[in-house]
């Protein structure tokens, strides 16, 4: 915008806030108006586009504490002040509306600034207003931030357990019906977010396109659970296998079962590890953790019950809960 607009435009009125509005109030007002007038919400509406640029200009100044302070100081001088540029070869002058800022006395004084190679009045004003530039090609005032980046968008996708573990390429569809191809990395976890650069909303003024933030939901597997890069599976064994020892088969994710040895006297909860059969990623490969669960028969025949009582009579007279109870008291 031209430098005169700092006097002529009321940025507070543009955003619909008072001059003593807090930063939070300004941010809230801007977001509400930006959603209403954003070009994506009003395709082909020139008036809405102009309004969006106007509120963006207002926000760029009022959201920056230093720029807001300078803007308030200049506005306090009164909207009747004007810049003038008297004639003269190779020279220019400005009416001293900045008297107080330059440390000068009453009004009407003049400063003359020589315009030489590599400098112009924009440079002069840029130094005064904190390095900003006037009259840019976008038609708006820009501080240090440059063009406004496009807004990020959010999306979700649900994957089956094996796809999430091994990784895959999936195609999503945006709200506008545009397909987006996404490479899902191996080992993605439930609830993990993936940032897709440049897949969000375009910038309203030539800046970088926003990103898509994709949240991945992973369906539960009926057998396996994730434990970091490891996979856990609960493996039932009979009382006889746990007591006397055995070689059992354990399932793997998407592969053939593997054989594991159960040592005699193995209790429930013991973890048997199969190296390298977990989740394989670029960062490493996990293991398969087989958790032993001793299966207790739910129905016993009369004869089996009698034999079991005979067996129990032969066991040492000890309570396996004694240590637990003692530690609980301590």
């Amino acid at each position: 915008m031209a430098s005169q607009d700092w006097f002529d435009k009321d940025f507070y009125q543009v955003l619909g806030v008072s001059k003593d509005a807090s930063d939070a109030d300004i941010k809230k007002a801007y977001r509400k108006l930006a959603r209403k007038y954003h070009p994506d919400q009003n395709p082909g509406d020139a008036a809405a586009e102009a309004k969006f640029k106007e509120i963006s200009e207002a926000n760029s100044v009022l959201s920056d504490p230093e720029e807001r302070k300078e803007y308030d100081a200049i506005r306090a001088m009164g909207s009747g002040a004007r810049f003038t540029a008297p004639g003269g070869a190779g020279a220019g002058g400005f009416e001293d509306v900045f008297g107080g800022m330059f440390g000068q006395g009453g009004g009407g004084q003049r400063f003359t600034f020589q315009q030489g190679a590599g400098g112009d009045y924009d440079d002069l004003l840029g130094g005064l207003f904190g390095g900003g530039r006037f009259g840019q090609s976008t038609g708006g005032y820009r501080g240090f931030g440059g063009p406004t980046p496009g807004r990020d968008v959010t999306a979700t996708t649900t994957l089956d357990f094996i796809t999430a573990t091994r990784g895959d390429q999936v195609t999503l569809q945006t709200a506008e019906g545009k397909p987006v191809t996404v490479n899902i990395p191996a080992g993605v976890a439930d609830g993990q977010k993936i940032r897709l650069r440049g897949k969000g909303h375009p910038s309203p003024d030539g800046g970088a396109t926003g990103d898509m933030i994709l949240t991945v939901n992973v369906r539960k597997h009926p057998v396996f659970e994730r434990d970091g890069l490891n996979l856990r599976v609960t493996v039932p064994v009979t009382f006889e296998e746990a007591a006397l020892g055995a070689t059992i088969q354990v399932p793997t994710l998407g592969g053939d079962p593997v054989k594991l040895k159960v040592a005699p006297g193995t209790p429930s909860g013991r973890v048997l590890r199969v190296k390298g059969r977990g989740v394989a990623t670029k960062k490493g490969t996990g293991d398969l953790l087989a958790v032993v669960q001793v299966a207790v028969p739910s129905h016993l025949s009369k004869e089996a019950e009698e034999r079991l009582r005979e067996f129990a009579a032969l066991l040492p007279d000890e309570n396996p809960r004694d240590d637990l109870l003692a530690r609980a008291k301590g």
Side-chain angles (χ1 to χ4, degrees), residues 79-192:
S79 60
R82 289 290 184 271
F83 289 116
T84 62
F94 292 96
E95 187 175 346
D96 184 19
V97 295
F98 305 111
M101 297 178 122
F102 285 109
Q104 299 296 326
Q109 299 186 35
R110 290 186 178 276
F111 291 87
T112 300
F113 304 95
Q114 184 69 32
Q115 182 178 14
D120 56 23
Y121 295 124
D122 266 358
D123 292 333
L124 169 67
L125 293 172
L128 175 62
F129 293 111
R133 296 282 295 176
F134 294 93
Q136 292 193 27
S137 58
T138 58
Y141 175 82
R142 295 275 172 233
F144 291 109
T148 306
R151 291 186 295 114
D152 292 344
V153 298
T154 59
T156 61
T157 188
T158 300
L159 306 175
D160 63 77
F161 191 89
I162 293 181
T163 299
T165 301
R166 295 179 176 176
D168 200 357
Q169 188 177 81
V170 299
T171 300
L172 308 177
Q173 202 168 45
T174 65
E176 296 79 15
K178 180 181 177 182
V180 177
T181 300
V182 182
N183 290 316
I184 302 295
V188 64
D190 183 49
Q192 184 173 333

Side-chain angles (χ1 to χ4, degrees), residues 234-248:
T234 298
V235 183
V237 298
T238 65
F239 173 75
E240 178 188 1
E241 290 172 331
L244 303 178
T247 298
I248 62 173

Side-chain angles (χ1 to χ4, degrees), residues 206-274:
T209 303
D211 301 333
M212 176 183 286
I213 311 301
L214 177 64
T215 301
V216 179
N217 297 318
V218 180
R219 296 189 187 95
K220 291 185 177 298
H221 194 278
V223 171
F224 299 96
E225 292 182 0
R226 284 283 300 274
D227 182 1
L229 293 183
N230 297 325
L231 291 175
R232 281 185 176 272
V233 56
T234 298
V235 183
V237 298
T238 65
F239 173 75
E240 178 188 1
E241 290 172 331
L244 303 178
T247 298
I248 62 173
Q249 284 192 322
V250 176
T252 61
L253 183 64
D256 295 330
V258 294
K259 292 183 177 180
L260 283 181
K261 285 188 176 181
V262 177
T266 295
S268 277
R270 177 168 293 177
V271 177
L272 308 179
R273 185 181 298 267
V274 183

